[in-house]
Amino acid sequence: MAFEVPPLPYDYSALEPYIDTETMKLHHDKHHQAYVTNLNGAIEKHPDLAKHSAEDLLRNLNSVPEDVRTVVRNNGGGHVNHSMFWTIMKPGGGGEPTGAIGDQIKKDFGSFEDFKKQFNETTAKQFGSGWGWLIWDGKLKIVTTPNQDSPLSQGHFPILGNDVWEHAYYLKYQNRRPEYLAAWWNTVNWAEIGKRFEQAKK
Ligand code: MN
């Protein structure tokens, strides 16, 4: 079974005005599709890899044949990262997290505002293309990765991640990455992130 781009769980325009319709179309239909197409190209060379989920391939990159390892790392990463990204946003999102994830953020960062500030500052500084992540490592931690590298490859389940490749924001925000980072919190789906927090702790 070839990998497929999951359908966007809302309309392309649903995250306006924070993420514009054109960016969503290109990002989902072109960029995500390209990662999936390239990942499937690697699987064609090694059909036995299709037994595994893309997440498991990223967790065990060293088991992936060397001739396609970089392709799987970049494009499997692109597929898994974006599949997460669409689900952790929603129309009418944002606000403050409640429940276990809200409590843990207060415990580890002092307040939700301090958490957002630290996430935005850390992620703004990621040089070039990459992602900002919230991971669980006995406590909540903010990390970044370059390119499409997934925290899964470092043994960490990503609770949330924001895409800071220019393709994620350039049409609307041009070079103003911090402005995009600040606006993005208005799209966040805390119910979904709360579920991912439970999964991360397992
Ligand atoms: Mn992207």
Side-chain angles (χ1 to χ4, degrees):
M1 255 286 280
F3 292 103
E4 287 177 8
V5 177
L8 199 62
Y10 35 77
D11 199 75
Y12 296 113
S13 63
L15 305 179
E16 293 268 12
Y18 310 109
I19 305 181
D20 61 288
T21 307
E22 195 57 24
T23 294
M24 289 301 289
K25 280 185 184 163
L26 288 167
H27 203 174
H28 180 269
D29 294 4
K30 304 294 182 189
H31 290 279
H32 191 166
Q33 182 61 58
Y35 297 122
V36 167
T37 302
N38 292 333
L39 177 61
N40 286 334
I43 305 298
E44 267 174 41
K45 288 187 196 159
H46 296 279
D48 49 314
L49 291 179
K51 292 188 302 222
H52 307 283
S53 68
E55 286 83 355
D56 281 343
L57 293 176
L58 296 173
R59 284 188 186 103
N60 301 290
L61 275 177
N62 287 335
S63 313
V64 173
E66 211 175 343
D67 65 317
V68 296
R69 194 175 298 156
T70 303
V71 176
V72 169
R73 176 179 176 168
N74 291 338
N75 295 281
H79 176 40
V80 169
N81 295 343
H82 288 85
S83 297
M84 170 219 65
F85 190 55
W86 312 130
T87 66
I88 62 154
M89 301 187 289
K90 65 167 194 177
E96 288 213 18
T98 55
I101 183 68
D103 293 343
Q104 195 69 41
I105 284 173
K106 285 191 191 89
K107 188 167 178 228
D108 291 334
F109 299 99
S111 71
F112 178 56
E113 286 308 312
D114 286 333
F115 159 68
K116 279 199 298 187
K117 187 166 179 278
Q118 197 178 319
F119 187 94
N120 291 353
E121 283 173 2
T122 303
T123 305
K125 281 187 233 156
Q126 166 60 33
F127 184 75
S129 297
W131 289 73
W133 303 102
L134 181 67
I135 60 160
W136 177 251
D137 188 15
K139 58 180 259 186
L140 294 173
K141 283 187 186 165
I142 294 163
V143 297
T144 61
T145 60
N147 307 312
Q148 293 295 350
D149 286 357
S150 168
L152 293 171
S153 303
Q154 292 147 14
H156 297 300
F157 183 84
I159 298 165
L160 70 78
N162 194 1
D163 186 346
V164 292
W165 283 57
E166 286 185 342
H167 69 223
Y169 62 85
Y170 207 83
L171 290 182
K172 183 177 173 79
Y173 297 95
Q174 288 89 45
N175 60 326
R176 304 185 304 279
R177 184 188 285 185
E179 215 177 287
Y180 159 71
L181 283 164
W184 180 74
W185 295 104
N186 294 298
T187 71
V188 159
N189 180 349
W190 283 113
E192 182 63 23
I193 292 164
K195 284 186 212 157
R196 295 184 67 89
F197 177 49
E198 296 309 317
Q199 214 174 327
K201 286 188 289 184
K202 278 178 194 160

